[in-house]
């Protein structure tokens, strides 16, 4: 085995020496040189060790523990291991248990207790270099496997299996990029009539009748034929996605006047209304189209699709086979929103906000291990308003900061109260919106809340979405590290719905991945969802992440997730989100998820 390490590699290995006693350091450097190594530098502080490790790119770092400067050898080694992935060998006179425990956290490649012999140094360096080469090769292979799984996942999540059209998230990302470019262009900013981008929602009228009458094979073939016609009709003037069973979204190239969108809508309706021949059957179908315009109706792709869908449904209710623009509903929409926003300003002081808790169940033993805190607004006139409605308003109006802080404060206080009342302990996960996460002093505020409420951070989880994480990678990394340093856990929420990839995200220090509800739905019967969920669970486990499936509603979904080794589930099957008293009663009752098969491992 020893002969398999080529002599030439050993001779050329570059060594950085970190040692604050110059005489000792020079002695080591002489020894190394006699044995054919290159001592690239000698430094005596932890800060310089990090700096020179970056500058000189050594093959290995010999690290004393007691050093000058703020960082000691273990701190410096931690940074060098984490950021540069270089092998570090400690050489120190301190071999006590505490030092050893701290040193072990940095996963060193060796630990030499001073004084040591030149021969000990040489063997330790050689073994460390060999082990690091093997580790690097394994890591490269692991990254290649991850990339492969990722490619498969991207194909699945970014393409509709039946029609091969891109999914909405792909169109949305392209749209946002286009809008950004347009805003950057001087012509756009200065133009009196900025271009409009029409977003169409094309719904097939009474499509369920076709699948009920002719069966799935015919309706699938029909959908493919309709896709071909829409694609031919639109040519190069737009991009198409399938957004639902019988619904498409089309984003047109920018137009100067809405009449250009009208011409397209008329052409689409005509082309779909012509008879189809599918499996020797003549089939007639019509469509309804709703159109919302970027530059007039909304700015975000999602809001545009929502609005075009609303008007499309309205058109269908009026009989279908027609198109309409969104504008007529816009006014009432805006007024509702303004009223709600002004009410939301008072919601905190009037104590109209509350938290409900939805249990998360461990699939190994069926026990409740945690809960997600979900915000509720008891509006005096409108009753319970959904967070899906008021969180976007809170985000746009800046109210999310005080509201978000109230949520964390209330969840921590609840944890404390339950601990005092001897309710069985669980973790609570709190949702964060990206504006909260971007607040400069956010981690300090969390620390204060934890201190005030006397809650140990191990009981708190923060849920962030992909879009929050990918906004500014460097800054995000720093913020996550500050939060992790508090001792809490980070979950990535609604995973799979964004446009990011796990291979971009895996460097972020998060612990839990929440599989979005859209992939859990009918997972046992829907091959696409099954493939996506399986790929996500496998990849997450490779990255040592715990997987929580959201929105589990049926026993069949549960059985599938169980078989795929999903760690936890959350969903109406076990329990809806509950008010605090009911949730505490559930914990006290010791209720478990029944009907779990036993796992072999
Ligand atoms: P989320 O974080 O993905 O939360 C899960 C949502 O799925 C919750 O909706 C929950 O009630 C719902 N759900 C759970 N199990 C099932 C199921 O089996 N079937 C179905 N159909 N739905 C299920 P909810 O409470 O309406 O919250 C919606 C979203 O609002 C949350 O999605 C989260 O993004 C946001 N939100 C809620 N509370 C907060 C908060 O305190 N702060 C922030 N920033 N956002 C919040
Ligand atoms: Mg959540
Ligand atoms: Mg979620």
């Amino acid at each position: 085995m020893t002969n398999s390490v080529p002599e030439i590699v050993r001779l050329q290995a570059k060594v950085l020496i970190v040692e604050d006693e110059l005489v000792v350091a020079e002695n080591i450097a002489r020894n190394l040189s006699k044995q054919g190594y290159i001592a690239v530098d000698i430094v005596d502080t932890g800060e310089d060790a990090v700096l020179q490790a970056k500058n000189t790119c050594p093959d290995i770092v010999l690290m004393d523990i007691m050093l000058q400067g703020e960082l000691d050898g273990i701190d410096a080694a931690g940074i060098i291991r984490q950021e540069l992935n270089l092998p570090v060998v400690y050489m120190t006179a301190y071999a006590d248990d505490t030092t050893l425990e701290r040193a072990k956290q940095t996963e060193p490649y060796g630990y030499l207790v001073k004084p040591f012999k030149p021969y000990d140094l040489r063997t330790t360096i050689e073994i460390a270099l060999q082990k690091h080469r093997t580790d690097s090769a394994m890591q490269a292979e692991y990254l290649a496997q991850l990339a492969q799984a990722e490619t498969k996942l991207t194909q699945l999540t970014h393409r509709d299996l039946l029609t091969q059209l891109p999914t909405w998230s792909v169109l949305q990302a392209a749209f946002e990029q286009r809008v950004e470019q347009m805003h950057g262009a001087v012509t756009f900013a200065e133009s009196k009539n900025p271009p409009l981008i029409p977003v169409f929602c094309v719904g097939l009228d009474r499509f369920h009748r076709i699948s009920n009458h002719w069966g799935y094979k015919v309706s699938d073939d029909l959908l493919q034929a309709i896709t071909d016609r829409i694609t031919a009709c639109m040519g190069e003037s737009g991009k198409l996605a399938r957004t639902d069973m019988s619904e498409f979204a089309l984003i047109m190239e920018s137009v100067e006047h809405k009449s250009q969108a009208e011409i397209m809508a008329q052409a689409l309706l005509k082309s779909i209304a012509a008879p189809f021949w599918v499996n020797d059957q003549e089939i007639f179908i019509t469509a309804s189209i709703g159109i919302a315009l970027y530059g007039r109706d909304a700015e975000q792709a999602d809001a545009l699709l929502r609005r075009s869908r609303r008007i499309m449904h309205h058109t269908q209710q009026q009989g279908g086979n027609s198109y309409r623009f969104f504008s007529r509903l816009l006014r009432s929409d805006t007024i509702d929103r303004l009223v709600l926003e002004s009410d939301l300003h008072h919601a905190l002081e009037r104590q109209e906000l509350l938290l409900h808790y939805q249990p998360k169940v461990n699939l190994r033993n069926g026990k409740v291990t945690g809960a997600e805190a979900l915000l509720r607004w008891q509006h005096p006139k409108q009753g319970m308003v959904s967070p899906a409605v008021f969180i976007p308003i809170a985000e746009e109006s800046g109210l999310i900061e005080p509201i978000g802080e109230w949520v964390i404060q209330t969840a921590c206080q609840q944890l404390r109260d339950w601990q005092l009342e001897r309710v069985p302990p669980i973790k609570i996960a709190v949702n964060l919106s990206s504006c909260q996460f971007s607040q400069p002093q956010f981690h300090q505020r969390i620390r204060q809340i934890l201190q005030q409420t006397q809650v140990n951070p191990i009981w708190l989880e923060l849920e962030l979405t992909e879009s929050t994480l990918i906004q500014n990678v460097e800054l995000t990394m720093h913020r996550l590290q500050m939060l992790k340093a508090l001792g809490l856990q980070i979950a990535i929420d609604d995973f799979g719905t964004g446009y990011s990839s796990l291979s971009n995200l895996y460097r972020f220090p998060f612990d839990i991945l929440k599989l979005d509800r859209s992939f859990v739905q009918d997972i046992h019967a829907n091959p696409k969802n099954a493939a996506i969920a399986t790929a996500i669970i496998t990849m997450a486990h490779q990255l040592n992440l715990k997987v929580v499936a959201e929105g589990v509603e049926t026993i069949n979904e549960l059985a599938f997730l169980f078989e795929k080794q999903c760690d936890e589930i959350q969903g109406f099957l076990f329990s809806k989100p509950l008010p605090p008293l009911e949730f505490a009663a559930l914990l006290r009752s010791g209720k478990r998820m029944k009907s779990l098969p036993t796992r072999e491992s």
Side-chain angles (χ1 to χ4, degrees):
M1 281 299 275
T2 39
N3 288 342
S4 67
V5 180
E7 191 70 0
I8 191 84
V9 174
R10 180 169 78 78
L11 288 180
Q12 288 182 339
K14 294 192 288 176
V15 185
L16 174 64
I17 304 169
V18 187
E19 167 62 69
D20 69 342
E21 280 183 56
L22 191 60
V23 183
V24 178
E26 284 177 346
N27 191 18
I28 294 173
R30 256 193 313 279
N31 271 324
L32 288 175
S33 164
K34 268 191 216 155
Q35 294 175 31
Y37 299 105
I38 303 166
V40 283
D41 203 353
I42 296 174
V43 292
D44 60 1
T45 68
E47 289 79 358
D48 282 349
V50 174
L51 192 69
Q52 287 309 84
K54 285 182 183 164
N55 288 340
T56 60
C57 306
D59 297 300
I60 190 162
V61 181
L62 298 181
M63 181 73 80
D64 187 11
I65 289 181
M66 293 291 279
L67 294 174
Q68 325 261 334
E70 294 268 301
L71 300 179
D72 75 0
I74 300 180
D75 296 330
I79 299 173
I80 291 172
R81 295 281 305 118
Q82 176 102 39
E83 292 185 10
L84 307 174
N85 189 24
L86 290 174
V88 172
V89 167
Y90 289 110
M91 35 175 209
T92 175
Y94 297 87
D96 61 282
D97 286 353
T98 326
T99 311
L100 187 60
E101 261 325 297
R102 271 187 68 217
K104 269 160 60 183
Q105 301 293 318
T106 62
E107 297 178 10
Y109 279 69
Y111 197 104
L112 282 163
V113 179
K114 290 177 188 168
F116 48 79
K117 300 248 160 44
Y119 185 79
D120 293 336
L121 182 61
R122 187 191 141 185
T123 15
T124 306
I125 290 180
E126 280 308 305
I127 287 172
L129 287 173
Q130 169 65 30
K131 183 169 179 323
H132 189 247
R133 274 191 291 271
T134 317
D135 286 353
S136 304
M138 271 166 60
Q139 197 186 8
E141 191 180 326
Y142 160 74
L143 285 178
Q145 277 175 6
L146 193 63
Q148 225 174 15
E150 182 86 48
T151 312
K152 193 172 153 210
L153 186 64
T154 309
Q155 283 163 354
L156 286 164
T157 48
H158 293 179
R159 233 160 238 295
D160 173 45
L161 273 190
L162 173 67
T163 60
Q164 292 304 310
L165 287 173
T167 55
W168 172 246
S169 64
V170 177
L171 246 64
Q172 191 183 5
F175 171 87
E176 258 131 42
Q177 215 175 9
R178 221 169 95 197
V179 166
E180 217 166 88
Q181 283 163 359
M182 269 171 40
H183 275 284
V186 184
T187 44
F188 177 76
E190 290 179 348
S191 152
K192 274 191 195 144
N193 286 326
L196 302 166
I197 304 179
V199 174
F200 288 45
C201 181
V202 182
L204 302 173
D205 300 331
R206 295 171 285 278
F207 186 77
H208 61 278
R209 287 198 194 170
I210 300 209
S211 42
N212 288 347
H213 185 78
W214 300 103
Y216 284 110
K217 169 81 179 86
V218 169
S219 60
D220 279 358
D221 290 352
L222 178 65
L223 274 170
Q224 184 58 59
I226 293 172
T227 306
D228 294 343
R229 281 204 195 158
I230 301 180
T231 312
C233 192
M234 144 189 111
E236 296 296 304
S237 59
K239 297 252 179 309
L240 188 67
R242 184 162 170 226
T243 39
D244 202 351
M245 179 61 192
S246 58
E247 182 193 286
F248 300 85
L250 188 164
I251 303 187
M252 269 184 84
E253 289 298 316
S254 39
V255 295
E256 287 192 355
H257 196 271
K258 69 178 208 172
S259 60
Q260 290 161 275
E262 262 175 295
I263 294 171
M264 170 67 87
Q266 284 159 355
L268 285 172
L269 291 180
K270 192 169 163 205
S271 128
I272 295 171
F276 286 90
W277 280 94
V278 178
N279 288 9
D280 294 333
Q281 303 291 340
E282 190 179 29
I283 300 181
F284 290 89
I285 187 153
T286 56
S288 296
I289 300 177
I291 309 167
L293 299 169
Y294 169 84
R296 198 192 71 178
D297 298 336
E299 304 295 312
Q300 307 287 326
D302 261 342
L304 286 161
L305 180 63
R306 261 198 318 273
R307 293 188 168 172
S308 61
R309 181 180 283 139
R310 260 181 73 182
I311 194 74
M312 182 275 283
H313 283 150
H314 179 72
T315 312
Q316 282 187 325
Q317 280 155 16
Q318 304 292 309
N321 195 20
S322 182
Y323 68 89
R324 275 191 178 77
F325 283 90
F326 173 73
S327 58
R328 266 179 287 156
L329 287 181
L330 184 66
R331 252 179 70 76
S332 65
D333 216 41
T334 314
I335 290 168
D336 286 353
R337 198 187 156 87
L338 286 176
V339 171
L340 219 52
E341 182 179 327
S342 117
D343 289 349
L344 193 56
H345 271 278
H346 302 291
L348 259 183
E349 69 206 51
R350 291 183 191 149
Q351 303 189 351
E352 291 165 8
L353 296 181
L354 53 150
L355 291 182
H356 280 188
Y357 297 88
Q358 186 176 34
K360 293 193 219 169
V361 180
N362 184 312
L363 287 194
R364 210 168 297 151
N365 51 22
K367 281 189 192 165
V368 176
T369 50
E372 176 171 9
L374 292 157
L375 191 53
R376 299 287 176 261
W377 180 14
Q378 183 68 55
H379 189 281
K381 289 193 198 121
Q382 301 196 13
M384 207 61 108
V385 183
S386 158
V389 173
F390 73 85
I391 295 278
I393 300 181
E395 284 176 343
E396 279 166 35
S397 60
L399 282 168
I400 194 68
E401 292 193 10
I403 291 180
E405 186 167 325
W406 178 87
V407 171
I408 300 170
Q409 172 84 43
T410 309
C412 287
Q413 190 57 53
Q414 186 66 79
L415 271 170
R416 181 70 187 152
D417 291 349
W418 281 337
Q419 278 163 8
L420 293 175
E421 291 163 24
R422 304 211 172 277
V423 174
I426 46 129
K427 291 186 176 195
I428 294 189
V430 169
N431 291 283
L432 286 192
S433 87
S434 62
C435 344
Q436 273 175 287
F437 181 65
S438 323
Q439 288 170 264
Q441 304 305 322
F442 182 63
H443 71 282
Q444 280 163 1
R445 192 60 202 118
I446 299 245
R447 183 193 292 142
Q448 280 170 354
I449 294 179
L450 287 165
Q451 276 166 358
Q452 279 161 9
T453 50
Q454 297 177 303
V455 167
N456 185 328
I458 59 163
W459 300 110
L460 185 65
E461 279 172 20
L462 299 177
E463 293 193 4
L464 293 147
T465 58
E466 285 167 76
S467 50
T468 304
L469 291 174
I470 56 171
Q471 277 168 13
N472 179 339
V473 174
E474 291 280 302
L475 203 58
T476 299
M477 181 70 96
H478 177 69
R479 286 183 178 140
L480 285 179
Q481 276 162 352
M482 306 282 260
L483 288 171
K484 285 286 303 171
L486 296 177
L488 41 77
Q489 295 222 301
I490 311 269
I492 179 156
D493 202 359
D494 304 342
F495 186 79
T497 52
Y499 194 61
S500 53
S501 64
L502 252 191
S503 45
N504 286 337
L505 293 174
Y506 90 103
R507 288 179 190 282
F508 293 129
F510 58 88
D511 314 276
I512 301 151
L513 185 148
K514 296 192 77 179
L515 179 63
D516 190 65
R517 179 155 65 89
S518 57
F519 303 125
V520 171
Q521 219 170 11
D522 290 333
I523 197 166
H524 56 288
N526 176 332
K528 178 172 173 174
N529 275 1
I532 292 175
T534 310
I536 292 180
I537 294 173
T538 312
M539 279 166 54
H541 283 166
Q542 277 177 352
L543 296 171
N544 280 332
L545 300 173
K546 189 167 82 178
V547 183
V548 181
E550 305 187 277
V552 179
E553 293 184 354
T554 67
I555 283 282
N556 286 335
E557 291 165 356
L558 171 73
F560 185 95
L561 290 161
F562 180 84
E563 195 205 310
K564 297 294 170 195
Q565 312 277 317
C566 178
D567 302 278
E568 290 185 2
I569 61 122
Q570 181 184 341
F572 295 169
L573 176 66
F574 184 74
S575 167
K576 293 201 168 193
L578 300 171
L581 280 178
E582 283 178 45
F583 185 79
L586 179 139
L587 285 181
R588 283 206 173 95
S589 75
K591 178 181 166 184
R592 286 191 192 200
M593 173 69 88
K594 295 195 193 85
S595 60
L596 280 181
T598 40
R599 247 183 213 159
E600 275 164 25
S601 63

